[in-house]
Amino acid sequence: MTLDWKIFATVFAAVFIAELGDKTQLATMLFAADKEVNKWLVFAAASAALIVASGIGVLAGTLLSHYIDEKVMGYVAGLGFMLIGAWVLWRTVSG
Protein backbone atom coordinates (compact mmCIF):
# COMPACT_ATOMS: atom_id res chain seq x y z
CA MET A 1 0.00 0.00 0.00
CA THR A 2 1.44 3.36 -1.06
CA LEU A 3 0.64 6.72 0.46
CA ASP A 4 -1.53 8.75 -1.91
CA TRP A 5 -0.70 12.35 -0.97
CA LYS A 6 -3.59 13.75 -3.03
CA ILE A 7 -6.13 11.70 -1.05
CA PHE A 8 -4.34 12.54 2.21
CA ALA A 9 -4.41 16.28 1.44
CA THR A 10 -8.06 16.16 0.34
CA VAL A 11 -9.23 14.34 3.47
CA PHE A 12 -7.04 16.48 5.74
CA ALA A 13 -8.33 19.73 4.23
CA ALA A 14 -11.98 18.64 4.32
CA VAL A 15 -11.86 17.46 7.93
CA PHE A 16 -9.72 20.41 9.07
CA ILE A 17 -12.12 22.95 7.57
CA ALA A 18 -15.17 21.07 8.90
CA GLU A 19 -13.73 21.00 12.42
CA LEU A 20 -12.71 24.68 12.59
CA GLY A 21 -15.02 26.56 14.92
CA ASP A 22 -17.37 23.66 15.51
CA LYS A 23 -18.65 22.57 18.91
CA THR A 24 -15.79 20.07 19.32
CA GLN A 25 -13.18 22.80 18.97
CA LEU A 26 -15.14 25.13 21.25
CA ALA A 27 -15.46 22.42 23.92
CA THR A 28 -11.72 21.73 23.71
CA MET A 29 -11.02 25.44 23.99
CA LEU A 30 -13.18 25.67 27.12
CA PHE A 31 -11.37 22.74 28.76
CA ALA A 32 -8.01 24.31 27.91
CA ALA A 33 -9.11 27.66 29.35
CA ASP A 34 -9.23 26.13 32.85
CA LYS A 35 -6.03 27.28 34.57
CA GLU A 36 -5.92 24.09 36.68
CA VAL A 37 -5.94 21.71 33.71
CA ASN A 38 -2.83 20.33 32.00
CA LYS A 39 -2.99 21.63 28.42
CA TRP A 40 -1.12 18.60 27.04
CA LEU A 41 -3.70 16.33 28.67
CA VAL A 42 -6.53 18.28 27.02
CA PHE A 43 -4.71 18.05 23.68
CA ALA A 44 -4.11 14.30 24.08
CA ALA A 45 -7.71 13.57 25.11
CA ALA A 46 -9.22 15.69 22.32
CA SER A 47 -6.87 14.13 19.76
CA ALA A 48 -7.69 10.61 20.93
CA ALA A 49 -11.43 11.37 20.74
CA LEU A 50 -11.09 12.65 17.17
CA ILE A 51 -9.02 9.61 16.20
CA VAL A 52 -11.66 7.23 17.61
CA ALA A 53 -14.50 9.18 15.95
CA SER A 54 -12.63 9.14 12.63
CA GLY A 55 -11.99 5.41 13.03
CA ILE A 56 -15.72 4.84 13.49
CA GLY A 57 -16.36 6.87 10.33
CA VAL A 58 -13.83 4.83 8.34
CA LEU A 59 -15.27 1.56 9.66
CA ALA A 60 -18.86 2.63 8.91
CA GLY A 61 -17.91 3.80 5.42
CA THR A 62 -16.06 0.55 4.73
CA LEU A 63 -18.99 -1.58 5.91
CA LEU A 64 -21.59 0.48 4.06
CA SER A 65 -19.55 0.33 0.84
CA HIS A 66 -20.20 -3.43 0.72
CA TYR A 67 -23.95 -2.80 0.46
CA ILE A 68 -24.36 0.69 -1.01
CA ASP A 69 -22.74 2.09 -4.16
CA GLU A 70 -20.16 4.82 -3.53
CA LYS A 71 -22.03 7.26 -5.75
CA VAL A 72 -25.29 6.67 -3.84
CA MET A 73 -23.45 7.21 -0.54
CA GLY A 74 -22.15 10.53 -1.92
CA TYR A 75 -25.67 11.60 -2.89
CA VAL A 76 -27.07 10.60 0.50
CA ALA A 77 -24.27 12.44 2.34
CA GLY A 78 -24.75 15.54 0.16
CA LEU A 79 -28.50 15.48 0.71
CA GLY A 80 -27.94 15.07 4.44
CA PHE A 81 -25.64 18.11 4.53
CA MET A 82 -28.16 20.16 2.54
CA LEU A 83 -30.99 19.16 4.89
CA ILE A 84 -28.92 20.07 7.95
CA GLY A 85 -28.01 23.42 6.34
CA ALA A 86 -31.65 24.11 5.47
CA TRP A 87 -32.74 23.21 9.00
CA VAL A 88 -30.12 25.52 10.56
CA LEU A 89 -31.09 28.33 8.16
CA TRP A 90 -34.78 27.83 8.90
CA ARG A 91 -34.19 27.92 12.67
CA THR A 92 -32.09 31.07 12.30
CA VAL A 93 -34.68 32.88 10.21
CA SER A 94 -37.71 31.72 12.20
CA GLY A 95 -36.35 32.09 15.61
Side-chain angles (χ1 to χ4, degrees), residues 26-50:
L26 295 174
T28 303
M29 190 171 55
L30 289 174
F31 283 117
D34 185 342
K35 290 179 177 55
E36 304 296 318
V37 173
N38 181 317
K39 307 315 179 215
W40 287 107
L41 188 62
V42 172
F43 174 77
S47 298
L50 288 172

Side-chain angles (χ1 to χ4, degrees), residues 7 16 24 26 30 44 46 48 50 57 64-67 69 71 74 83 87 89-90:
I7 296 294
F16 182 77
T24 304
L26 295 174
L30 289 174
L50 288 172
L64 286 173
S65 72
H66 292 293
Y67 305 103
D69 182 61
K71 198 169 194 175
L83 290 173
W87 178 71
L89 184 60
W90 178 77

Side-chain angles (χ1 to χ4, degrees), residues 2 9 12 22-23 36 39-41 46-47 49 51 59 65 75 81 95:
T2 62
F12 179 88
D22 78 341
K23 61 186 179 289
E36 304 296 318
K39 307 315 179 215
W40 287 107
L41 188 62
S47 298
I51 288 169
L59 180 61
S65 72
Y75 288 138
F81 280 117

Side-chain angles (χ1 to χ4, degrees), residues 15 47-63:
V15 172
S47 298
L50 288 172
I51 288 169
V52 171
S54 296
I56 291 169
V58 169
L59 180 61
T62 301
L63 292 174

